[in-house]
Amino acid sequence: MNTNSNTYTIAYASIMVVVVAFLLAFVSSALKPTQDKNVELDKKKQILAALNIRDLAGTEAVEQKYDEVVNADMIINAKGDTLNAGADKDQAGFRVETKDISAESLPLYVCKVGDDVKYVVPVSGRGLWGGLWGYVALDADCKTVFGAYFSHESETAGLGALLAEQKFQDLFKGKQVFADSAAASVALTIVKKGQVKHPEYEVDGLTGATLTTNGAAAMVNEGLQNYIGFFQTVNK
């Protein structure tokens, strides 16, 4: 066989492409269970962080604490109706991906920290360079923020990326979800740095990151607004 011919080169390259593609597919398939488990573990860490439970050492500690604190992962709709009670933890709301969250499919985590009931809801949006996401934990009356966790896809280091730091997330603790007792719409938001006029429900924004701040504000406000039906049901 003439190894210098075009036919040989094309045939050799084609075979190598097929072999490499097969190997990559095999490795990806073999690693998928581990990758999925890591994704689930990270999600549990984020939910726990919103409940102010952080810095757990090791997979076992995270799994144990999550199992202890999270009682159900419900799926509700925008009216507040329960579509799935989530009694089998991690099999209902936990399985709803961010892209699939809608008015007819809203994950809601029912938790207990000490003797107190807490509700955790997911929020998502878009910053300057990419996606934003996180979780907001509320007290049993759904009127006061207990804790929050946020992360980002690719925000600017030292500016928008500060969204993912605990120092910023801690600013949400104790903030009110509503501006008044009517609880008709969510007031909780993030404002431009130094522009807080209503400290009871406004959070100081990120320095030099106006677009990320605006995106995060929409993420939190609109994300919680999706659950207004449930909040009003709790407060009847």
PDB file of all heavy atoms in Angstrom, residues 19-32:
ATOM      1  N   VAL A  19     -12.157   6.103  15.778  1.00  0.00           N
ATOM      2  CA  VAL A  19     -11.614   5.508  17.005  1.00  0.00           C
ATOM      3  C   VAL A  19     -11.632   6.504  18.160  1.00  0.00           C
ATOM      4  O   VAL A  19     -12.061   6.185  19.275  1.00  0.00           O
ATOM      5  CB  VAL A  19     -10.173   4.996  16.769  1.00  0.00           C
ATOM      6  CG1 VAL A  19      -9.527   4.596  18.096  1.00  0.00           C
ATOM      7  CG2 VAL A  19     -10.175   3.828  15.806  1.00  0.00           C
ATOM      8  N   VAL A  20     -11.183   7.727  17.892  1.00  0.00           N
ATOM      9  CA  VAL A  20     -11.156   8.758  18.933  1.00  0.00           C
ATOM     10  C   VAL A  20     -12.566   9.095  19.386  1.00  0.00           C
ATOM     11  O   VAL A  20     -12.830   9.244  20.588  1.00  0.00           O
ATOM     12  CB  VAL A  20     -10.433  10.030  18.421  1.00  0.00           C
ATOM     13  CG1 VAL A  20     -10.608  11.173  19.414  1.00  0.00           C
ATOM     14  CG2 VAL A  20      -8.960   9.747  18.201  1.00  0.00           C
ATOM     15  N   ALA A  21     -13.502   9.202  18.447  1.00  0.00           N
ATOM     16  CA  ALA A  21     -14.894   9.495  18.798  1.00  0.00           C
ATOM     17  C   ALA A  21     -15.477   8.397  19.677  1.00  0.00           C
ATOM     18  O   ALA A  21     -16.191   8.671  20.651  1.00  0.00           O
ATOM     19  CB  ALA A  21     -15.731   9.661  17.532  1.00  0.00           C
ATOM     20  N   PHE A  22     -15.165   7.144  19.339  1.00  0.00           N
ATOM     21  CA  PHE A  22     -15.644   6.018  20.138  1.00  0.00           C
ATOM     22  C   PHE A  22     -15.080   6.073  21.553  1.00  0.00           C
ATOM     23  O   PHE A  22     -15.799   5.872  22.534  1.00  0.00           O
ATOM     24  CB  PHE A  22     -15.244   4.700  19.464  1.00  0.00           C
ATOM     25  CG  PHE A  22     -15.551   3.490  20.298  1.00  0.00           C
ATOM     26  CD1 PHE A  22     -16.835   2.989  20.371  1.00  0.00           C
ATOM     27  CD2 PHE A  22     -14.543   2.867  21.044  1.00  0.00           C
ATOM     28  CE1 PHE A  22     -17.138   1.874  21.163  1.00  0.00           C
ATOM     29  CE2 PHE A  22     -14.830   1.767  21.837  1.00  0.00           C
ATOM     30  CZ  PHE A  22     -16.128   1.265  21.890  1.00  0.00           C
ATOM     31  N   LEU A  23     -13.779   6.343  21.660  1.00  0.00           N
ATOM     32  CA  LEU A  23     -13.136   6.400  22.965  1.00  0.00           C
ATOM     33  C   LEU A  23     -13.711   7.528  23.819  1.00  0.00           C
ATOM     34  O   LEU A  23     -13.965   7.364  25.026  1.00  0.00           O
ATOM     35  CB  LEU A  23     -11.627   6.577  22.813  1.00  0.00           C
ATOM     36  CG  LEU A  23     -10.866   5.368  22.251  1.00  0.00           C
ATOM     37  CD1 LEU A  23      -9.402   5.730  22.021  1.00  0.00           C
ATOM     38  CD2 LEU A  23     -10.978   4.172  23.200  1.00  0.00           C
ATOM     39  N   LEU A  24     -13.936   8.687  23.206  1.00  0.00           N
ATOM     40  CA  LEU A  24     -14.496   9.822  23.934  1.00  0.00           C
ATOM     41  C   LEU A  24     -15.913   9.515  24.410  1.00  0.00           C
ATOM     42  O   LEU A  24     -16.284   9.855  25.543  1.00  0.00           O
ATOM     43  CB  LEU A  24     -14.494  11.077  23.051  1.00  0.00           C
ATOM     44  CG  LEU A  24     -13.135  11.708  22.764  1.00  0.00           C
ATOM     45  CD1 LEU A  24     -13.270  12.871  21.784  1.00  0.00           C
ATOM     46  CD2 LEU A  24     -12.480  12.204  24.056  1.00  0.00           C
ATOM     47  N   ALA A  25     -16.687   8.881  23.537  1.00  0.00           N
ATOM     48  CA  ALA A  25     -18.056   8.516  23.907  1.00  0.00           C
ATOM     49  C   ALA A  25     -18.058   7.512  25.051  1.00  0.00           C
ATOM     50  O   ALA A  25     -18.868   7.602  25.983  1.00  0.00           O
ATOM     51  CB  ALA A  25     -18.795   7.942  22.697  1.00  0.00           C
ATOM     52  N   PHE A  26     -17.118   6.564  25.000  1.00  0.00           N
ATOM     53  CA  PHE A  26     -17.023   5.548  26.048  1.00  0.00           C
ATOM     54  C   PHE A  26     -16.643   6.174  27.387  1.00  0.00           C
ATOM     55  O   PHE A  26     -17.242   5.885  28.428  1.00  0.00           O
ATOM     56  CB  PHE A  26     -15.993   4.489  25.655  1.00  0.00           C
ATOM     57  CG  PHE A  26     -15.740   3.471  26.734  1.00  0.00           C
ATOM     58  CD1 PHE A  26     -16.633   2.441  26.957  1.00  0.00           C
ATOM     59  CD2 PHE A  26     -14.606   3.565  27.544  1.00  0.00           C
ATOM     60  CE1 PHE A  26     -16.410   1.504  27.962  1.00  0.00           C
ATOM     61  CE2 PHE A  26     -14.378   2.643  28.548  1.00  0.00           C
ATOM     62  CZ  PHE A  26     -15.279   1.604  28.754  1.00  0.00           C
ATOM     63  N   VAL A  27     -15.632   7.047  27.363  1.00  0.00           N
ATOM     64  CA  VAL A  27     -15.184   7.714  28.593  1.00  0.00           C
ATOM     65  C   VAL A  27     -16.295   8.582  29.168  1.00  0.00           C
ATOM     66  O   VAL A  27     -16.541   8.591  30.378  1.00  0.00           O
ATOM     67  CB  VAL A  27     -13.927   8.566  28.316  1.00  0.00           C
ATOM     68  CG1 VAL A  27     -13.587   9.416  29.535  1.00  0.00           C
ATOM     69  CG2 VAL A  27     -12.749   7.663  27.967  1.00  0.00           C
ATOM     70  N   SER A  28     -16.979   9.333  28.289  1.00  0.00           N
ATOM     71  CA  SER A  28     -18.066  10.192  28.743  1.00  0.00           C
ATOM     72  C   SER A  28     -19.171   9.379  29.397  1.00  0.00           C
ATOM     73  O   SER A  28     -19.707   9.741  30.453  1.00  0.00           O
ATOM     74  CB  SER A  28     -18.629  10.985  27.563  1.00  0.00           C
ATOM     75  OG  SER A  28     -19.723  11.780  27.965  1.00  0.00           O
ATOM     76  N   SER A  29     -19.515   8.256  28.766  1.00  0.00           N
ATOM     77  CA  SER A  29     -20.563   7.388  29.309  1.00  0.00           C
ATOM     78  C   SER A  29     -20.144   6.784  30.645  1.00  0.00           C
ATOM     79  O   SER A  29     -20.942   6.689  31.583  1.00  0.00           O
ATOM     80  CB  SER A  29     -20.875   6.275  28.306  1.00  0.00           C
ATOM     81  OG  SER A  29     -21.838   5.387  28.823  1.00  0.00           O
ATOM     82  N   ALA A  30     -18.885   6.387  30.749  1.00  0.00           N
ATOM     83  CA  ALA A  30     -18.381   5.765  31.974  1.00  0.00           C
ATOM     84  C   ALA A  30     -18.334   6.753  33.133  1.00  0.00           C
ATOM     85  O   ALA A  30     -18.571   6.386  34.294  1.00  0.00           O
ATOM     86  CB  ALA A  30     -16.997   5.184  31.722  1.00  0.00           C
ATOM     87  N   LEU A  31     -18.032   8.029  32.804  1.00  0.00           N
ATOM     88  CA  LEU A  31     -17.892   9.037  33.848  1.00  0.00           C
ATOM     89  C   LEU A  31     -19.204   9.722  34.207  1.00  0.00           C
ATOM     90  O   LEU A  31     -19.283  10.420  35.219  1.00  0.00           O
ATOM     91  CB  LEU A  31     -16.879  10.098  33.413  1.00  0.00           C
ATOM     92  CG  LEU A  31     -15.427   9.650  33.288  1.00  0.00           C
ATOM     93  CD1 LEU A  31     -14.566  10.807  32.800  1.00  0.00           C
ATOM     94  CD2 LEU A  31     -14.895   9.122  34.617  1.00  0.00           C
ATOM     95  N   LYS A  32     -20.238   9.544  33.385  1.00  0.00           N
ATOM     96  CA  LYS A  32     -21.495  10.272  33.589  1.00  0.00           C
ATOM     97  C   LYS A  32     -22.111  10.069  34.977  1.00  0.00           C
ATOM     98  O   LYS A  32     -22.547  11.044  35.613  1.00  0.00           O
ATOM     99  CB  LYS A  32     -22.518   9.904  32.520  1.00  0.00           C
ATOM    100  CG  LYS A  32     -23.728  10.851  32.513  1.00  0.00           C
ATOM    101  CD  LYS A  32     -24.653  10.549  31.362  1.00  0.00           C
ATOM    102  CE  LYS A  32     -25.744  11.604  31.263  1.00  0.00           C
ATOM    103  NZ  LYS A  32     -26.484  11.834  32.507  1.00  0.00           N
TER     104      LYS A  32
END
